[in-house]
Structure formats: C-alpha cells, structure tokens
Amino acid sequence: REDPLNVTERRGLKAPTAKAIRLDGPRLTAAAGVRIANPDQLPAARGRSSEAAHFRKAAGLHRVFAIDATLSPRDPKAPGQFGRPAAVPVEKQEEAKNRWKEGNFNVYLSDLIPIDRAIEDTRPAGCSDQLVHNDLPTTTVIVCFVDEVWSTLLRSVHSVLNRSPPHLIREIILVDDCSTKEYLKGSLDKYMSQFPKVRIIHLKERNGLIRARLAGAEIARGDVLTFLDSHVECNVGWLEPLLERVRLNRKKVACPVIEVISDKDMSYMTVDSFQRGIFTWPMNFGWKPIPPDVIEKHKIKETDIIRCPVMAGGLFSIDKKYFFELGTYDPGLDVWGGENMEISFKVWMCGGEIEIIPCSRVGHIFRNDNPYSFPKDRIKTVERNLARVAEVWLDEYQDLFYGHGYHLILKNLDVGDLTHQRELRKRLQCKSFKWYLENIYPDLEAPLVKASGLVVNIAVAKCLVVENATLTFDTCDVNSKNQKFNYTWLRLIKHGDLCVAPVDGKGTLGFHRCNDRNNHLKWLHKSLVAFQPELMDHFVLEHLQQPTCLEVDQSRQTLRVNACDSSNPYQKWQFGNYYAD
Ligand code: UD2
Ligand code: MN
C-alpha cells in the first residue's frame, strides 16, 4: 500500500522534457559557426613550436573548436542520418520487436543507422562564439558498460573521437563490467585496436557501475575524468566547455545538457535548456524546469550555466585529483543507483559545485528498464544504496527519507559498514545537510516533522496536555508548553524526549522514552490505515492487528485506546499545524 520509493521510477533515469528538432534540411553550420571537419585544420593550440607557445601567451583563448569528422557523411541518405528518426520496414517489424529486449530500446534501428552518423548542432546560439583557454586540461573519458548493444557502444566511442579536439583526449577507457556477451570480449578488443587512444579493461567479476567507474579512474592518466554512459552521442563542441569550467575552478563538476536519443526511432532530440537536476523524497532524481518568471527576473540566457542540487549521474567531468580527494564514490554502493546523490551531496557540502553547461550537449538513450540483470534483488540493491547515502549525508533529514520510504524501516535493512564514509565526511569538514538545503536547494520542502502544535480533540474541543509525566486533556492554551507536540516522519507523537504510548494492557495512556525503531510507539495519522481512509483523523496504533485508536473517555474524563470507530468524534484529533500532506 505504501510504496513511496516509487519503484517504477527507479527502473532507469527518466528523460527530461524533450522536443523534436525542426528539420528544414540539416542546419549543420547554422548555430555552429563553422564546423571543422578535419582536426588537422586546428590552430596549434598545444603545439611544441615556439610559435605555438607565443600564440598561447598572446591570445590565451580561442573560440570553441567545432570539430566534427561526421560533417560530410559518406551516406547522407542513410536511415537516422543527421539525427533523423528512422523507421522499421514492415517486413522487419517482428524482428525489431524481438530484439528490443537486447537493450530495452530499438536495437534493430540502432544497428541499421550509421555508427558515425551526423547529428544536428543543438547548441543555443552564442555557444560557437564562446572563448575557452588554450591550455585546457586533458581528460580521460571513462565509459563502463555491461552487455551494451554493439552498435550503440561503438556510436558512443565514435562520437567522442569524431567530435573532440584530439589533443584534449588523453585516452578513452572502456570498462567491461563482466559482460556475458561474446562480442564484447574478442571482437571489441579487435575493433578498438585501430584506435590507439582506446583502452579496454575487462573486469573478472560483476562490479556494478560504481566500482566499474572506479576501476577506470584508478588507471586514468588525464588531468580530468569525464564519465559517460555507453549509449550516448556527444555533440559538436561538447568537451571544451566542460574542461573550461574545471580549469576555472578545480572544484567545479561540469555536466553537459543531456539530450534525448529516442528509444523508439533513434532520433536525436533536443531538450529545454532551463532545467535543473533535483530530487524529491525519498531521493528520486528528477528534472525541474526553472519557472519563467525567475528566468525573466534574472534575465537568464540560454547559454547561462545552471547550478544543480544534484546531477543525473552518468555524464560529467571532474578534476581527477579532486575526485580522489573527495574519496571518489562510496565503494560500498552496488550495481546501480544512489551514487549520483552521493557525489552531489558530497561535492556541494564539501566545498564544490555542480553545474550544467548549456553549450555542452550529449544525447543519451533513456530506457524504461535496466536491460541487464542485478546480481541480487534489484529493488533491495537500490534501496540499500540510498540508505547508505542517507545515513552518511542527511543528518536529521534522514527522517524525511525514511518517512517517505517507510517500509525501509520495517525491513530493517542492513546497509553495511559506514565507518569510512562517516570519517571521510569529518575529515573533509563538510557542511551540514541543513546548510545544503538552505543554500543549494531552498525550494525543496523539507519540514523536519509532519505536524506540530496543539492536538485538539474534535468532540470535546480540548487539547492533549502533559501533566506530571502523564497524558490527559484540558482546555486548549496556545501558550502552554505542556500542550506542544510534534508528529514525526517516523510516526511518533513527541513531547520533548517523551512519546505518547499505551502504558499497560488495559488501554491506559502515558509516555515512553522515544525510540525511532520501537513500533509500539507509532501512530498512524493522516495516512491510510489498511485502506480505511475514514480513519485519517484518528491516531491509530500501528503495530496492532486490529486498528486501535486514541480516544477521550467521556464518562471518566480520561484518555484511553479503544477499537477504532470511524464515526466516533471522540477519536478524532487535529494538530495545530500540518507541514506535509
Ligand atoms: C542514470 C545515469 C547513470 C547512473 C544511474 C544511477 C545518466 C544519463 N545515466 O541511469 O549513469 O548514474 O542513473 O546509478 O545520467 N552499468 C555497468 N554495470 C552495472 C550496471 C550498469 O557497467 O552493473 C553501466 C551501463 O551499461 C551504463 C551505465 O552503467 O553504461 C549506466 O547505467 P544505465 O544506463 O542503466 O543507467 P541510467 O541511464 O538509467
Ligand atoms: Mn544510461
């Protein structure tokens, strides 16, 4: 009944709002200024000659290189060329349908379209005129994958090779996370051997994407690490704007705008520029449009950099030394999920920044389900990852996480050892989660309790009151400290350290020392009780089989618990303030 972790949403990253590109013939040079097909035409930004050095000193800056080796495609009419939608021929429908599950997208079409297709330059106007430094740091591109579709993986690699200034790519490391498919072993190594910059490591056991990325990071030789998923297409000019931000400040973590490659027709779609990466409780990643009035008020331009509370996870550049200073990812995170929250909180709270760079754009195939298997239960794996992050980074706001993912408490999840992660946070002297919420994500509603204030009984219009450490009711008095209660995310009715609870088997009410894990102290209120919405205003003891409610015993002028009765007003209660639904 309560599954607030929203499992369906957890099956893969949700795409941001996307729109088709208007194709009035390829506008390959429109926004882009002039694209350079051949990298040999580049000015010698990193050349060895003294001339080059002089050029560097004198100018220091250059216009973003618009390198694109796919500029004049061999076959302009090929399906999917220029990012156009492709169609499955009628006689191939069955085959296409059957192959969908190989990657949970239209694998048939991916195989049909060129592995080095041209795509539209989707950068906002102005991007091609931006200046970047001549002495940008080099990067190692790290792509981990498990059982990725051949054509998609190749297209990812080719898009990097074809649309990046060669001198900035130190290497591309492909980390094979113990794939089962044969072609990802022999054939892949053979194919990639024609590109000296591509290195492949095959992990001997399944590590999950988090530790697979770390395996790549360990051997990386570039100054900056750039992580990518294995089903992407980097667009023209994507790399330099990312590296420029890291060069400006090594604690900046730069993310490209993630555009959408349709899982159905493989078309390359652009997205709205004014979107932030955010999360909702219990730590679901999402995109949030910047409201139009905010855009107007602050005169935000399409090319402006957007600071994000959290990143999507898959695509970003980070200074290598900084990544290791931050303690990389928590290596205790398994398979998939939660690591984007972890790195985002860590970066912000420990002095860094997460930015989306609108002039850097990379397409990604968003899928509705993970196409690979999880070594253990998928839901449990993701929940455990998130709980690890919550335990280390959320401080008192953990209650909101657990309150929204309430079954996690009941499950008594084993999150494993967190000593190292907690020590790391101390050592780095990171700020509090409260600071993060107030400064980085002020629009998130994060009330520490669900309700507070006086607790009025509807029938007698009197309030709960603490008297000599016992619970009774009396005339309401907003100024009385003894009438103030909190209703917490973990369903305790709290007065200081004391929690309302029955104290004997006879229904007498009193107090217990509070304990988040003690289910005997928990009351349901304003939430569904075994599908009985009519008990919403009641305080229902949660741990009992039969719904049992707090009520005013009229005859004796005391409080007691009794069998719930939805029509009995002596069982209806109201807090002074409610902060969440
Ligand atoms: C998003 C991120 C993804 C990751 C994930 C949360 C983007 C575009 N994607 O989900 O990078 O942050 O959220 O964890 O931001 N992989 C392995 N081993 C595994 C599982 C996956 O190597 O055990 C690879 C996989 O082949 C892919 C990458 O990791 O290249 C990300 O996985 P995904 O594409 O299934 O994740 P996605 O895009 O739904
Ligand atoms: Mn992905």
Side-chain angles (χ1 to χ4, degrees), residues 13 229-231 336 364-367:
L13 180 62
D229 273 12
S230 48
H231 33 264
W336 186 97
H364 169 257
I365 308 179
F366 290 85
R367 306 171 294 193

Side-chain angles (χ1 to χ4, degrees), residues 266-341:
M266 292 301 287
S267 62
Y268 188 100
M269 292 184 283
T270 190
V271 297
D272 189 354
S273 293
F274 302 115
Q275 301 190 63
R276 292 188 307 155
I278 52 102
F279 70 90
T280 52
W281 298 112
M283 279 197 269
N284 280 321
F285 176 83
W287 304 97
K288 188 171 179 181
I290 302 175
D293 56 305
V294 175
I295 297 173
E296 208 166 301
K297 188 173 158 218
H298 298 276
K299 303 207 165 53
I300 306 178
K301 297 191 305 293
E302 268 213 305
T303 49
D304 284 346
I305 280 149
I306 295 170
R307 289 150 60 89
C308 290
V310 295
M311 67 157 96
L315 326 178
F316 63 99
S317 292
I318 186 167
D319 180 272
K320 186 175 66 189
K321 271 229 229 68
Y322 181 52
F323 186 62
F324 282 97
E325 272 166 38
L326 282 176
T328 69
Y329 289 121
D330 166 9
L333 301 176
D334 270 327
V335 190
W336 186 97
E339 94 294 341
N340 54 332
M341 298 293 151

